[in-house]
Amino acid sequence: MSRILSKKEMTEEDIKRLYITPALEGRWPADKITMETQITDGRVVLKGSKPFRDKPKRADYVLYWRRDYPLAVVEAKDNTHSVSFGLQQAIEYATMMDAPFAYSSNGDGFVERDLLTGKEREFGLDEFPSETELVERFIRDKGITPELEKVASQPYYVDQKTHSPRYYQRVAVNRTLDAIAQGQERILLAMATGVGKTYTAFQIVYRLLKSGLKKKILYLADRNILVDQSIQQDFAPLEKVVHKINVGKDAKGARNALAAYQVYFALYQQLIGDDETEHFRELFAPDFFDLIIVDECHRGSAKEDSRWRRILEYFSPATQIGLTATPKETKYVSNINYFGEPIYAYSLRQGIDDGFLAPFKVVNITTNIGDEWRPLKGWRDASGELIEDRVYNNADYDYNIVIEDRAREVAEEITRYLRSTDRLAKTIVFCPTEDAAERMRQALVNANSDMVREHPDYVVRITGSDEYGKGKLDYFISVAEPFPTIATTSKLLTTGVDCKMTKLIVLDSCISSMTEFKQIIGRGTRIREKDGKTHFVVMDFRNVTRLFADPDWDGPIEIDEGFQPGQTETVERDPGEDGDEPSKEKKAKPIVGPDGCRVEVIFKTVSIYDVDGKLLRQESVVDYARANLLGEYASLDDFIQKWSAEEKKATLRQMMSERGVDLEALKAEQGLAEADDFDFVCHLAFGRKPATRRERAAKARRRDVFAKYGAEARAVLDALLEKYAADGIYEIEDLNVLKLEPFAQMGKLTKIVGFFGGKAAYLQAVKELENAIYADEEAAL
C-alpha cells in the first residue's frame, strides 16, 4: 500500500491540481481562465556555439474580464514556501500584461495585491473573489465607461494568417481604446522598431470599427513603401473598406464615391503638393475623419512649422494617434508637446529581453587613416586641385574629401566578413550621401565580382533618387528573394522599411542623432527563427556605436528642457530627414586616388552589449576567437579528441564561421597562413607551437601508408597530400576535388575512385590519409 504524500511533500504541480485549480474554478468560469500562459518568447542569448533562448516567462493562471482583457494573474508555489512567496512574480507578470490584480498561493490560501489601490490582503483558499466581485471592483476603481465596455467586448482579428496579439501589443491596443473611449484626443504610442506597430494600429482600427466608436479613419505616412506595406500586409483583412488616396483621380471623382470607404491611406506629399496646394481641403471637410493615425510621427509632422503639420491641424476635430519607435524631443521639435506623454512605451531593450527582438554584437573597425590623415605638401587631387593642408579624419571622409581607396578597403572588409559567415546575408551599408553610396556600391561589386557575375543584382544602391534601386526595394526586403543581397543607401532605409532578414548593418556614415541611430539599429531587430535569423551584427567604421554609452540610448522619453512652443529651427536640418535625399553632393570634393593614400584595416574589436546598451565585454578579434574556442573545448586533449572524432574536419571552420570568425583571415593576420587549422587552434587557444601543412605532409609520406595500394591509387593519394599541403584538409575531404587538376588528367571521377575499388573504398583511403596526417595527435590521446 503506497503512502499518501503530505502537503509539504507535494510538488508545485500537485498543489495546483489538488488545491489552487479547484479553488479558482469554483469561483470563475473555466472559459475565462488560462493556465501556463506564455508571456514572452525567451531572450536569445549570444553565447556558445549557437544562439539559444532563455526560458520564456509563463503565468501559472490568467483570469480575464473579456476575451482579450487580462484581469488577474495567479502564481503558484509548493507548500514548502509561504503563501506570499510568488507574489512578486505575479506582480511582475500582471504589470507586464496590464492586469490590475496579482495573487500568490501555496495551496493554504491566497495573497492579493490590488494594483489599482496598492493594497494587499490575505484570505483563505475558499475565499477567492468571484468573477462578479472582481469585475465590479475593476469597473469601479478603474473608472470604466459604457463606451469602453462596448469596445472592450470586441475581439481582436485573428485568422490563419494573422497571429493573436503579443502581450505588449494587447496592452497598447487596450490602453489606446481606453483613452479614446474616455475622450482623449491626442495619443502617442512609442514602440520599438520590429515589434509590430502597424499590426497594433490595425487591431486598434479593427476593434474601433467593429464597436462603431470610429467610422472614418485616415492613416498618414511619408513614404509610399510604408503605405503599400501596411495595405498589403497588416491591413489586408480590411481590403474591402480600404482606399489609397490618389489626389489626381479622387479630385475628379464623385464625393459620394470617395466617402464609401472606412479606412484611407495617404502620403503627406500628396495631400500637400509641391506647389503648396492643400489638396486635403479640396477632398475632405475638416470633420470628415474621426480618427487619424500618424505613422513615424517623429518625422516631418513633429515640427510645428512643418507644412505637413497643417494637415493635422486642419483635421483637428479627429482623434489623432502618433506611432513611432523614436519620439523626437529636441529644442525645436517635440512629439510629446503635440500628442502628450506616451500612453504606452515598449522599448528595444524590452523587446530583446522578452525575445521578440534580435540581439546583436558590434564589430568596430579601425583603419590607418581613421583618426588622422594629412596630405603631403603640395598634394593635388584627381582633378589637379591643391588639397587643403590640414588633418582629416572619419568626420571628413565622403563629407569634405573623397579617399578612393577607403571605399575599396571598407568594401573588402565587409566582403571578408560575409565570405566567412554567409554570402547571402542581407546587408545594409549606410553611407554619408547618395554619391558615397554609389561609390560603395561599385567597390562592393568589384570585391564580390564572383557573385555579381552570376547575380547582377547582388549589390544595389537603394536611395531616394535612384529609380532602379528603389524598384529593387521589394526584392531586397523580401524573405524569399535572395537578391539584392547588399544594399548601399544614405537615408532611405533608415526608417519604416521592413527589412526582416537583415543580418549585417554597416555604419559608414557619421551619425550624431540618437533618433536616427535607433532607427538604423532597428533595421536588424526582426527575428525570423524559422528562416535562420536570430541575431544580427553591426559593423562600425566611424565609431558611431559610441552612442550606446549615451544615456538617451534607452532612457525615458522626456520633453527637452529647452523646448518652447513656437520656436523655429534655424540650424540646417539633417539631409534626407523627410525622405528627399540630395541627388547630388552640394559641392565638388577633392578626390584622392589610391596612389595618394593607401588604406588598410589595422584593428578590429568585437563588442557584446546587454539590453540596456551597456558594454558587457570588448575584445580584439583574436581574443574573441580564443574565447570562443576555450568556450567550446575544455582542454587541448578535449579539442584533439573532438577533432579526431569528427567525420568531417570542416565542422571546426563552420562552427567558427557561425560566430563571425574567419579562420583563414585570422591566420593571415597572425602570419600563420601556412598552418593547418588544427595547429592554429592549438596555438591560439592552448599556446602550442604550430606546424605548417607541409611539415605534416612530409611526416605522413614517411609513414608510407600508401604501400598497400596500386600505382594509380598511390599517385592519387600523393596528389591529395600535395593538395592538403597547398590548400588544407578541407579540400581533400570534398569528393569534387577529383574534378580539378592534377586529378582531371588521371581520368573522370568514376575512373579515379575505381583505382581503389569504388567510392566507399576511396573515402576510406582518404580517412586513412587524414589519420596519417594527424597520427601524432591521435597517438598522444
Side-chain angles (χ1 to χ4, degrees):
M1 182 175 176
S2 61
R3 184 175 66 85
I4 297 175
L5 295 175
S6 70
K7 205 171 187 180
K8 293 291 185 186
E9 294 176 302
M10 291 181 181
T11 66
E12 182 179 305
E13 291 304 311
D14 291 332
I15 294 294
K16 288 162 66 176
R17 176 173 54 86
L18 295 173
Y19 296 98
I20 300 176
T21 300
L24 295 177
E25 291 184 343
R27 306 284 282 169
W28 274 74
D31 63 351
K32 289 193 173 181
I33 302 174
T34 60
M35 299 177 65
E36 291 296 315
T37 305
Q38 184 169 321
I39 304 173
T40 71
D41 276 1
R43 184 184 176 192
V44 177
V45 180
L46 299 180
K47 186 178 180 181
S49 58
K50 288 186 178 180
F52 65 91
R53 282 191 182 272
D54 279 339
K55 290 182 179 180
K57 293 179 179 177
R58 298 179 187 271
D60 288 330
Y61 302 87
V62 179
L63 282 53
Y64 296 85
W65 172 40
R66 295 284 188 264
R67 174 181 166 186
D68 298 299
Y69 215 118
L71 197 62
V73 172
V74 183
E75 280 302 304
K77 298 299 174 184
D78 65 43
N79 201 249
T80 62
H81 294 90
S82 67
V83 67
S84 63
F85 191 83
L87 189 59
Q88 290 299 323
Q89 187 176 349
I91 292 170
E92 177 192 358
Y93 294 170
T95 302
M96 291 173 69
M97 302 175 74
D98 236 14
F101 303 101
Y103 297 89
S104 171
S105 178
N106 67 350
D108 289 342
F110 290 94
V111 172
E112 173 194 84
R113 166 74 69 86
D114 184 330
L115 276 70
L116 296 174
T117 65
K119 294 181 178 179
E120 285 187 15
R121 66 188 180 108
E122 186 173 339
F123 48 84
L125 199 63
D126 59 351
E127 296 177 296
F128 194 87
S130 68
E131 178 193 14
T132 301
E133 179 188 346
L134 210 57
V135 169
E136 285 178 353
R137 287 170 56 188
F138 169 62
I139 290 175
R140 181 190 69 229
D141 295 338
K142 181 75 171 176
I144 300 298
T145 62
E147 289 82 3
L148 179 57
E149 283 201 63
K150 182 179 180 181
V151 74
S153 66
Q154 302 300 322
Y156 286 84
Y157 181 90
V158 179
D159 63 11
Q160 292 181 340
K161 297 181 180 179
T162 306
H163 63 81
S164 58
R166 295 167 173 167
Y167 84 87
Y168 62 85
Q169 294 167 336
R170 185 183 288 113
V171 172
V173 173
N174 287 342
R175 285 195 186 182
T176 301
L177 298 181
D178 190 353
I180 292 173
Q182 295 189 40
Q184 187 169 328
E185 296 180 347
R186 301 291 180 266
I187 297 168
L188 181 61
L189 286 175
M191 300 174 69
T193 299
V195 300
K197 289 191 297 296
T198 311
Y199 169 85
T200 302
F202 161 72
Q203 294 290 4
I204 291 170
V205 168
Y206 179 80
R207 294 180 69 187
L208 285 172
L209 291 176
K210 289 298 180 183
S211 69
L213 206 58
K214 299 294 181 184
K215 297 179 174 63
K216 296 289 183 183
I217 298 167
L218 174 64
Y219 191 104
L220 278 174
D222 68 342
R223 293 185 180 180
N224 208 45
I225 183 67
L226 300 182
V227 170
D228 291 342
Q229 278 181 174
S230 301
I231 293 174
Q232 295 164 12
Q233 297 176 18
D234 291 309
F235 279 80
L238 293 174
E239 60 179 342
K240 292 182 180 178
V241 297
V242 166
H243 175 67
K244 182 180 178 181
I245 294 173
N246 183 310
V247 169
K249 293 181 180 178
D250 291 337
K252 297 176 184 178
R255 278 290 183 98
N256 59 350
L258 186 58
Y261 303 96
Q262 291 180 290
V263 184
Y264 300 74
F265 284 80
L267 292 170
Y268 291 104
Q269 298 95 317
Q270 278 202 319
L271 295 183
I272 297 183
D274 292 335
D275 58 357
E276 295 295 313
T277 302
E278 296 182 336
H279 299 296
F280 55 88
R281 295 180 184 272
E282 304 168 5
L283 295 172
F284 306 103
D287 61 353
F288 183 86
F289 298 107
D290 47 20
L291 176 67
I292 296 178
I293 296 175
V294 185
D295 196 11
E296 304 292 353
C297 68
H298 64 280
R299 292 169 63 76
S301 60
K303 297 180 181 179
E304 284 191 79
D305 60 344
S306 165
R307 59 182 185 148
W308 295 351
R309 178 70 74 85
R310 301 206 299 265
I311 300 172
L312 302 184
E313 291 169 347
Y314 178 75
F315 294 117
S316 60
T319 302
Q320 296 179 11
I321 302 173
L323 298 177
T324 179
T326 51
K328 199 159 192 177
E329 300 300 325
T330 71
K331 184 178 179 181
Y332 303 98
V333 180
S334 174
N335 284 124
I336 291 177
N337 183 65
Y338 185 80
F339 289 104
E341 295 285 342
I343 63 168
Y344 186 62
Y346 188 75
S347 67
L348 177 66
R349 177 193 63 78
Q350 290 171 291
I352 294 175
D353 208 26
D354 288 341
F356 298 124
L357 294 181
F360 55 90
K361 61 183 176 182
V362 176
V363 180
N364 292 94
I365 311 291
T366 304
T367 68
N368 59 319
I369 64 166
D371 295 326
E372 182 175 323
W373 176 78
R374 185 178 179 183
L376 297 177
K377 181 180 179 180
W379 267 22
R380 297 183 181 274
D381 68 5
S383 63
E385 295 293 322
L386 195 66
I387 300 173
E388 181 185 355
D389 180 18
R390 67 177 181 85
V391 173
Y392 296 85
N393 57 34
N394 276 330
D396 292 299
Y397 307 135
D398 297 303
Y399 293 95
N400 302 310
I401 191 169
V402 175
I403 307 291
E404 287 187 332
D405 200 53
R406 186 182 178 282
R408 174 204 58 77
E409 181 67 356
V410 170
E412 290 189 358
E413 185 62 32
I414 295 169
T415 303
R416 280 192 287 269
Y417 175 82
L418 292 175
R419 284 182 185 275
S420 71
T421 54
D422 178 6
R423 296 294 294 278
L424 295 181
K426 294 283 187 173
T427 300
I428 306 177
V429 185
F430 289 97
C431 305
T433 65
E434 286 197 326
D435 285 0
E438 173 58 20
R439 289 191 292 271
M440 185 56 64
R441 182 202 64 81
Q442 190 173 62
L444 283 162
V445 165
N446 290 332
N448 294 274
S449 57
D450 58 328
M451 295 294 288
V452 174
R453 184 171 59 249
E454 299 295 326
H455 310 286
D457 284 335
Y458 180 70
V459 185
V460 172
R461 181 180 75 154
I462 303 178
T463 57
S465 67
D466 192 324
E467 294 302 321
Y468 181 83
K470 286 194 293 185
K472 296 295 179 180
L473 181 56
D474 285 346
Y475 296 98
F476 178 71
I477 66 178
S478 169
V479 174
E481 293 291 337
F483 307 106
T485 300
I486 305 174
T488 67
T489 191
S490 174
K491 297 282 184 180
L492 189 64
L493 299 183
T494 58
T495 183
V497 180
D498 191 7
C499 307
K500 296 182 178 70
M501 287 300 292
T502 303
K503 293 184 177 180
L504 177 62
I505 292 173
V506 179
L507 301 175
D508 195 32
S509 175
C510 289
I511 298 164
S512 57
S513 162
M514 182 60 73
T515 297
E516 185 179 359
F517 179 58
K518 286 183 178 181
Q519 289 285 344
I520 287 174
I521 296 300
R523 298 310 99 204
T525 53
R526 275 76 167 175
I527 288 181
R528 300 282 298 192
E529 208 155 357
K530 292 181 180 178
D531 300 304
K533 164 80 184 295
T534 57
H535 62 287
F536 66 104
V537 170
V538 179
M539 183 176 285
D540 183 7
F541 287 90
R542 308 251 186 177
N543 197 27
V544 175
T545 48
R546 70 187 184 283
L547 292 176
F548 284 130
D550 193 306
D552 287 340
W553 162 246
D554 206 51
I557 302 164
E558 298 175 339
I559 196 166
D560 190 279
E561 291 182 0
F563 177 77
Q564 294 180 7
Q567 285 190 111
T568 300
E569 186 171 8
T570 56
V571 296
E572 183 182 353
R573 67 175 176 83
D574 291 339
E577 182 184 4
D578 298 329
D580 50 351
E581 302 180 44
S583 58
K584 292 184 178 179
E585 295 174 335
K586 294 179 180 179
K587 63 180 181 179
K589 301 177 177 66
I591 298 175
V592 179
D595 294 336
C597 178
R598 293 294 295 178
V599 180
E600 60 182 19
V601 170
I602 58 172
F603 193 65
K604 288 184 278 188
T605 60
V606 178
S607 305
I608 306 294
Y609 293 85
D610 71 2
V611 294
D612 296 304
K614 305 299 183 186
L615 183 64
L616 293 179
R617 69 178 188 270
Q618 186 177 64
E619 49 206 353
S620 70
V621 172
V622 172
D623 290 337
Y624 174 73
R626 182 182 294 113
N628 274 273
L629 290 166
L630 292 174
E632 186 71 21
Y633 306 108
S635 63
L636 177 59
D637 286 348
D638 181 46
F639 169 62
I640 294 173
Q641 189 171 28
K642 288 179 178 177
W643 171 273
S644 301
E646 285 291 356
E647 192 67 29
K648 290 282 189 180
K649 307 303 184 190
T651 304
L652 170 67
R653 180 164 290 193
Q654 182 181 350
M655 181 267 289
M656 295 303 288
S657 290
E658 287 172 352
R659 304 183 195 188
V661 177
D662 183 348
L663 281 178
E664 203 61 39
L666 198 56
K667 286 195 296 184
E669 289 175 10
Q670 298 294 301
L672 297 171
E674 300 303 315
D676 190 297
D677 279 5
F678 172 89
D679 291 289
F680 182 66
V681 169
C682 290
H683 166 71
L684 186 65
F686 305 107
R688 199 172 78 168
K689 183 179 178 180
T692 67
R693 293 190 298 271
R694 292 212 170 271
E695 288 172 341
R696 285 195 171 275
K699 284 186 178 182
R701 283 195 174 92
R702 288 197 293 271
R703 290 189 176 95
D704 195 21
V705 294
F706 306 156
K708 66 179 179 178
Y709 295 103
E712 294 92 344
R714 288 200 302 273
V716 172
L717 291 170
D718 189 66
L720 284 172
L721 200 53
E722 182 60 31
K723 192 72 174 171
Y724 159 76
D727 300 317
I729 195 69
Y730 313 124
E731 293 295 323
I732 70 172
E733 287 187 325
D734 189 347
L735 196 64
N736 288 321
V737 73
L738 299 181
K739 298 178 182 179
L740 306 176
E741 294 296 342
F743 306 102
Q745 297 180 26
M746 302 178 186
K748 293 184 178 181
L749 189 149
T750 52
K751 181 180 179 181
I752 294 175
V753 298
F755 297 154
F756 297 84
K759 179 180 176 182
Y762 167 78
L763 293 176
Q764 178 59 35
V766 172
K767 189 66 179 175
E768 291 172 359
L769 180 60
E770 287 186 350
N771 291 340
I773 292 172
Y774 301 107
D776 292 342
E777 314 303 338
E778 295 178 6
L781 288 176

